[in-house]
Amino acid sequence: MRDDTTHRRDAATWSPLDSDDWYAARNATTALRDALVRAGLEKDFPYLRADLNAFGHGLVELGRVSPATAERLAELLRLALAAGLRRLEENSEGAAEYRAGED
């Protein structure tokens, strides 16, 4: 006869599909994959995958990349940050002009 307290959650019956962390890692991996495809880098991240560690925490494995890929990724991040800062500056200038027009 089975002991119900030990059968509930032993390691042999655990599945990553029971974990919210698995789905979070998978969704984040999919979002990153889609962005890499748009940037033309889909072949440069051959080890990209969703994973869970031994504690059941979701992870996104980026893997190893070539120096040229790392430089390209760094450039894309710099451009995205610069565009975001410009947008913030434009929004704050627009808000200041709007507030000045209220006076």
Side-chain angles (χ1 to χ4, degrees):
M1 191 175 229
R2 279 189 188 159
D3 180 11
D4 286 334
T5 57
T6 58
H7 180 65
R8 284 186 205 143
R9 277 286 191 203
D10 70 7
T13 62
W14 180 85
S15 167
L17 300 178
D18 297 334
S19 166
D20 289 339
D21 281 0
W22 163 249
Y23 290 101
R26 187 185 69 171
N27 293 339
T29 301
T30 300
L32 182 56
R33 179 204 62 203
D34 293 347
L36 291 170
V37 167
R38 285 191 303 274
L41 294 171
E42 66 272 9
K43 294 182 180 178
D44 297 311
F45 286 83
Y47 300 103
L48 178 66
R49 66 187 181 109
D51 201 359
L52 289 177
N53 68 10
F55 303 102
H57 300 131
L59 300 169
V60 176
E61 175 70 40
L62 298 177
R64 297 171 293 192
V65 297
S66 71
T69 298
E71 288 176 11
R72 172 81 172 122
L73 182 59
E75 181 61 22
L76 288 171
L77 289 170
R78 277 192 293 275
L79 291 170
L81 288 170
L85 289 175
R86 276 195 304 274
R87 199 170 311 130
L88 281 175
E89 290 170 356
E90 291 168 2
N91 288 343
S92 64
E93 289 171 6
E97 289 172 8
Y98 177 75
R99 283 192 299 270
E102 288 181 341
D103 293 337

